[in-house]
Amino acid sequence: MDYQGTIIRPPSEADSILLQVTLGCSHGKCAFCGAYQGKRFGIKDRETVARDITFAARHCRRQRRVFLCDGDALVMPQARLLDILDAIRRELPWVTRVSTYASSKSLRLKSDAQLAELREAGIAMVYMGLESGDDTILAAMDKNGDSAAIVEQGIRARQAGFKLNVTVINGLGGVERSMEHARATGLALSAMDPDQIGALSLMLVPGTPLYDRHARGEFVLPDATGMLAEIREMLAHLTLTRGLFLANHASNYLPLKVRLPSGRDAALAELDTALAGCRPLRPESSRRL
């Protein structure tokens, strides 16, 4: 496979065929993100992608899912995406799901009819980064779009028939806006009504603007207790009628897997136990991006 630079994929796509169809991120300005440092956004040529699909057809016959890399492959022109999805159906007929990252920008560029066409052509799930429901934080992080715009496009994705997996980042408001971040994020997630929520804890990446702000003392990262308090506040403000809340990423201090709404009270009780110091947390040495 022709992999250029670091390949980023969601944890749940660990066993998927990783098909790199774009390079980098079409926005590439988020202050906290070091995923695509030094990689200029671009769309890979048809011949390279075709060779990778042919390689997968020969060597990836046990893998039943495909994830389109890099960041925000949905921003590709519609015809190119449809060609790739057609080749996946034709050459990898055993594949049962195609997924990709999406953003409010890339979703906004597609009409309702185009989104429905992509769903029909094989894309079953999109991963969106809300990060925070607090517009002050989103602006400070140079996120593309405010919370209302992100929520609106997430709703459009669901209406088109995609399963929606939304990522949020604990600690993104720093100590200063910790609870504002948690409450606003819980409310925004409730409005989006995703199928799955993935909560990560902020880990500062050297070379990013946020890392530099922290080094200058302009941004103070919450400690383990602060991160857990944020998750508790976020969960307390979630009013989903169904879905899965996952805080089991390697960056988190306390792994959680919560079926909503039935498991929320038990999760809140578990967080209270941890906040009281009666539950061991993941050590700093074991936390990873």
Side-chain angles (χ1 to χ4, degrees):
M1 301 285 272
D2 177 72
Y3 290 143
Q4 299 181 32
T6 302
I7 304 296
I8 307 295
R9 48 93 182 147
S12 56
E13 300 291 342
D15 296 325
S16 299
I17 299 168
L18 303 180
L19 183 64
Q20 190 182 41
V21 297
T22 62
L23 301 174
C25 174
S26 62
H27 179 58
K29 298 177 182 177
C30 293
F32 56 86
C33 184
Y36 304 108
Q37 288 180 348
K39 188 186 288 189
R40 187 175 180 178
F41 178 76
I43 297 172
K44 294 181 77 170
D45 64 86
R46 296 174 186 272
E47 293 75 17
T48 300
V49 174
R51 284 197 300 270
D52 283 350
I53 294 174
T54 299
F55 178 92
R58 293 173 181 169
H59 302 288
C60 304
R61 301 188 68 87
R62 294 184 179 181
Q63 294 164 267
R64 300 180 63 81
R65 295 177 177 180
V66 171
F67 182 74
L68 303 179
C69 311
D70 275 337
D72 202 11
L74 201 69
V75 81
M76 294 177 70
Q78 186 79 354
R80 284 291 309 276
L81 261 176
L82 290 173
D83 284 348
I84 290 169
L85 294 170
D86 179 66
I88 291 171
R89 285 197 310 271
R90 187 175 62 253
E91 298 194 43
L92 314 175
W94 60 88
V95 164
T96 59
R97 190 182 83 184
V98 180
S99 305
T100 182
Y101 286 127
S103 68
S104 60
K105 171 186 174 181
S106 62
L107 287 163
R108 187 176 65 250
L109 291 173
K110 304 291 186 186
S111 68
D112 292 345
Q114 286 178 316
L115 291 178
E117 187 177 30
L118 292 173
R119 175 65 190 94
E120 180 67 24
I123 296 180
M125 177 182 286
V126 295
Y127 295 81
M128 282 189 75
L130 170 63
E131 325 307 3
S132 177
D134 185 317
D135 287 340
T136 299
I137 294 171
L138 292 176
M141 296 300 148
D142 206 4
K143 178 76 175 175
N144 186 21
D146 59 19
S147 60
I150 298 171
V151 167
E152 178 186 6
Q153 296 307 320
I155 291 172
R156 287 187 67 232
R158 284 197 301 101
Q159 291 174 339
F162 300 116
K163 286 190 174 181
L164 180 63
N165 190 316
V166 177
T167 301
V168 297
I169 304 178
N170 297 309
L172 200 60
V175 170
E176 182 180 359
R177 295 192 67 82
S178 178
M179 288 298 102
E180 290 87 348
H181 166 58
R183 286 189 288 271
T185 302
L187 294 173
L189 288 169
S190 298
M192 292 179 85
D193 196 25
D195 298 277
Q196 186 168 306
I197 299 163
L200 290 68
S201 293
L202 177 62
M203 300 189 74
L204 297 168
V205 180
T208 61
L210 189 58
Y211 183 93
D212 295 338
R213 292 178 202 170
H214 178 263
R216 294 192 299 266
E218 299 169 4
F219 180 88
V220 181
L221 188 66
D223 60 12
T225 299
M227 294 285 196
L228 291 178
E230 278 192 14
I231 291 180
R232 193 198 188 287
E233 187 76 1
M234 191 183 303
L235 266 175
H237 284 79
L238 273 177
T239 57
L240 302 186
T241 58
R242 89 290 180 273
L244 194 61
F245 180 92
L246 297 176
N248 56 357
H249 186 266
S251 63
N252 293 324
Y253 289 98
L254 180 67
L256 289 172
K257 182 177 181 179
V258 187
R259 178 69 61 183
L260 296 170
S262 60
R264 187 173 72 161
D265 289 345
L268 291 174
E270 188 173 357
L271 285 161
D272 287 338
T273 299
L275 286 166
C278 301
R279 171 77 187 269
L281 304 180
R282 178 178 280 140
E284 288 289 348
S285 60
S286 298
R287 296 176 63 231
R288 297 286 187 273
L289 281 172

